[in-house]
Amino acid sequence: MTKNAMPAASSTEFNRRWARVVLETLTRHGVRHICIAPGSRSTPLTLAAAGHPRLVRHTHFDERGLGHLALGLAKSTGQPVAVIVTSGTAAANLYPALIEASLTGERLIMLTADRPPELIDCGANQAIRQPGLFAGFAGRSVNLPRPTPDIPAGWLASTLDQALSARETVHVNCPFAEPLYGPEENDEDPWSSALGEWWRDDRPWLSVPLPAQDQTLTEDDWEGWRRRKGVIIAGRIPAEEGGRLAAWAAELGWPLIGDVLSQTGQPLPFADLWLADPAAGECLQQAELVIQFGGSLTGKRLLQWQAQCRPREYWLVDPLPGRLDPAHHRGRRFHTPVGAWLDCHPSPAPSSRDNKNWAAPLEALSRRAHRHIRAAMTEALGEIQLAHRLAELLPAGGRLFIGNSLAVRLVDALGQLPACYPVFGNRGASGIDGLLSTAAGVLRGGDGPLLAVVGDLSALYDLNALALFRHTTAPAAILVVNNNGGQIFSLLPTPEAVREHYYVMPQQVEFRHAAALFGLNYASPPDFSTLQSCLADAWRQPAGSAATLIELAVPPHEGADRFRSLVAGMAAV
């Protein structure tokens, strides 16, 4: 036996000791939830997580869904969430969730088990080149060596501390050599013991101060700007800041155009309709300053106006990195939380408002859009009625998750959600993959009930995520709007001759059988009052029971056609 070689049983145990330091280090950086997929190569990490007293463990058999489950947990808790998967394509399946997190600021820590170096590029089973797997979408990447007592435990802890200190998404690649299984050994462990008191406190081994952030200071010329004509755009911002921003805008007397994820209460609702009226553009072109809070705008006409508007200056406030302004306006970029920025930029006293309600015509346009929506609704329960009346279906003290494609666009354009009511969505990359899994994570990360609204193709894409709703931590309802395909493409200028076959792709499915497959409650209400009753029953379900899947079967093109008609009606002045 060579000097540093270990017998097989010791190698097994040392893999576990190495993994225990990895998991303990994560907890020193705020990790409380960890999501685990089954796998052999990841056994040391899985056993370390299973035995850790401060970790809440979540499991799922699908790694793509597992990544999105972690994403939802991170959205809901605001904490970093770790994921454990085995080697090979299991690791690759985390990519979509990591991409989304990199664009929306959630902190995911991907622990990918790997084969040791001698098994890579030689035909070994389930072995791929995993270092650098996530390219530029992982904020930090750490490729750990094969566990060996020749490397001090302090190196392992401090290496992870360095990576985790940046508060970004992190990929930690963890090669483990066999054997992976064997009995626990209780002999003295000088390698782990070298960390001493670290095991008994809650601080990182190596504290790495955050780099200097943009300091939030009052702009020297704010006193002058706040007396001018301004417009506020609210994108994706935290719920607690949405209501405060709306009050600040009202004090200024500036119009606030709020996205569905702004949680501002959308003081000028139905913007995607009234912005189609030429009178809206004529009014808004008077704006001298536009301030956007948060990114990820949804409405097509808001995006069009944002792209073509040319105020004297355009300011953007969001703590995330990057410009977040695809129109590249001239102005100022503030990397700071919304609340901190508002603290430093007070609104004027009522007596000093020089331009109070300068954009009052927009209020009339919003009321006109409301009348158009009400006139377009029929007695039948359809997508227009659902989007417009969604606020009536929200559970008290709960949360809302909205899917992508047509669902989020209709709610953004036709609905008005309450201020400060938590609304979640995957609007970074805006994909339909993993939406149900993300909603399951949002549910598990909080205390209140959850309503999730998704389309039929989105639900099919992530169908096995229904397994995550068999036993819920709080009452939950999944509302699947079944318009038989991707009807968002009915709004786009796709060639009519090939639209159904190549874009919409109708599947002719009924979700009753999916609910039965996963043991969920099921309902298919014919009208709005019955829908309300079904949801009332869902909110009465105790924690630990199955979620309710509610299928809203609607005529395939009705929602898109009626929405297109509403936009045309507003534009025809």
Side-chain angles (χ1 to χ4, degrees), residues 540-566:
R540 285 192 287 267
Q541 296 296 315
S545 60
T548 300
L549 192 156
I550 299 176
E551 182 174 9
L552 180 60
V554 298
H557 303 290
E558 183 181 49
D561 289 347
R562 287 184 179 275
F563 180 63
R564 188 186 299 107
S565 177
L566 284 167

Side-chain angles (χ1 to χ4, degrees), residues 199-552:
W199 287 104
R200 288 178 284 280
D201 63 34
D202 57 1
R203 296 172 297 168
W205 178 261
L206 178 67
S207 295
V208 182
L210 287 172
Q213 301 292 312
D214 283 11
Q215 190 172 11
T216 304
L217 299 173
T218 304
E219 293 298 287
D220 292 338
D221 53 355
W222 172 241
E223 181 65 30
W225 278 114
R226 70 182 188 174
R227 298 175 184 276
R228 297 179 181 272
K229 295 179 179 179
V231 171
I232 298 168
I233 299 175
R236 182 188 59 245
I237 61 176
E240 63 273 14
E241 295 178 338
R244 185 179 174 193
L245 177 59
W248 183 82
E251 291 169 358
L252 278 169
W254 290 1
L256 186 157
I257 307 175
D259 184 85
V260 65
L261 297 185
S262 71
Q263 298 160 111
T264 58
Q266 298 157 291
L268 290 171
F270 325 123
D272 205 39
L273 290 189
W274 57 256
L275 280 168
D277 191 316
E282 294 172 5
C283 178
L284 288 170
Q285 70 180 0
Q286 301 175 59
E288 300 169 272
L289 173 66
V290 175
I291 308 179
Q292 179 180 335
F293 295 87
S296 298
L297 303 178
T298 300
K300 178 180 179 180
R301 273 144 289 278
L302 176 56
L303 284 166
Q304 289 172 339
W305 179 79
Q306 189 265 357
Q308 61 82 31
C309 74
R310 289 297 178 265
R312 289 181 59 183
E313 286 202 25
Y314 194 101
W315 298 0
L316 200 150
V317 182
D318 194 300
L320 293 179
R323 287 172 287 174
L324 304 185
D325 176 18
H328 314 297
H329 291 94
R330 181 178 184 178
R332 310 178 196 183
R333 176 69 170 91
F334 303 93
H335 294 275
T336 185
V338 172
W341 195 92
L342 295 179
D343 287 338
C344 295
H345 298 83
S347 57
S351 59
S352 64
R353 295 179 191 158
D354 296 332
N355 290 296
K356 180 181 179 181
N357 296 330
W358 68 268
L362 300 183
E363 298 176 3
L365 289 174
S366 180
R367 291 193 294 271
R368 177 171 171 245
H370 190 191
R371 293 194 296 271
H372 273 264
I373 296 168
R374 300 295 294 182
M377 288 197 301
T378 63
E379 292 298 321
L381 176 55
E383 290 173 275
I384 300 299
Q385 188 181 40
L386 174 67
H388 185 59
R389 301 182 65 182
L390 184 61
E392 301 175 39
L393 303 176
L394 300 177
R399 294 155 294 161
L400 172 65
F401 183 90
I402 306 182
N404 284 324
S405 295
L406 190 57
V408 70
R409 283 169 172 81
L410 291 182
V411 175
D412 178 75
L414 308 178
Q416 184 177 23
L417 301 177
C420 302
Y421 195 93
V423 184
F424 299 89
N426 285 352
R427 297 297 297 161
S430 299
I432 66 169
D433 47 345
L435 291 178
L436 291 179
S437 299
T438 307
V442 170
L443 175 66
R444 296 183 182 197
D447 298 324
L450 176 76
L451 173 62
V453 182
V454 299
D456 54 309
L457 287 190
S458 297
L460 286 172
Y461 204 129
D462 200 23
L463 194 65
N464 61 28
L466 294 180
L468 299 170
F469 289 91
R470 284 171 169 156
H471 306 286
T472 60
T473 55
I478 303 165
L479 181 53
V480 178
V481 182
N482 189 348
N483 54 22
N484 199 23
Q487 298 300 336
I488 182 64
F489 295 106
S490 298
L491 292 177
L492 303 178
T494 50
E496 186 173 356
V498 299
R499 182 179 299 152
E500 288 293 303
H501 187 69
Y502 293 102
Y503 292 88
V504 176
M505 296 187 185
Q507 298 299 307
Q508 314 293 341
V509 296
E510 183 183 274
F511 285 86
R512 178 189 306 272
H513 310 290
L517 177 64
F518 290 98
L520 306 188
N521 303 310
Y522 175 84
S524 181
D527 52 51
F528 194 83
S529 62
T530 307
L531 172 60
Q532 288 177 305
S533 298
C534 292
L535 284 169
D537 291 340
W539 309 142
R540 285 192 287 267
Q541 296 296 315
S545 60
T548 300
L549 192 156
I550 299 176
E551 182 174 9
L552 180 60

Side-chain angles (χ1 to χ4, degrees), residues 29 107 140 158 160-168 204-213:
H29 293 269
R107 296 177 59 199
R140 296 288 180 94
S158 60
L160 295 173
D161 286 334
Q162 179 73 38
L164 297 169
S165 66
R167 300 184 182 277
E168 299 176 296
W205 178 261
L206 178 67
S207 295
V208 182
L210 287 172
Q213 301 292 312

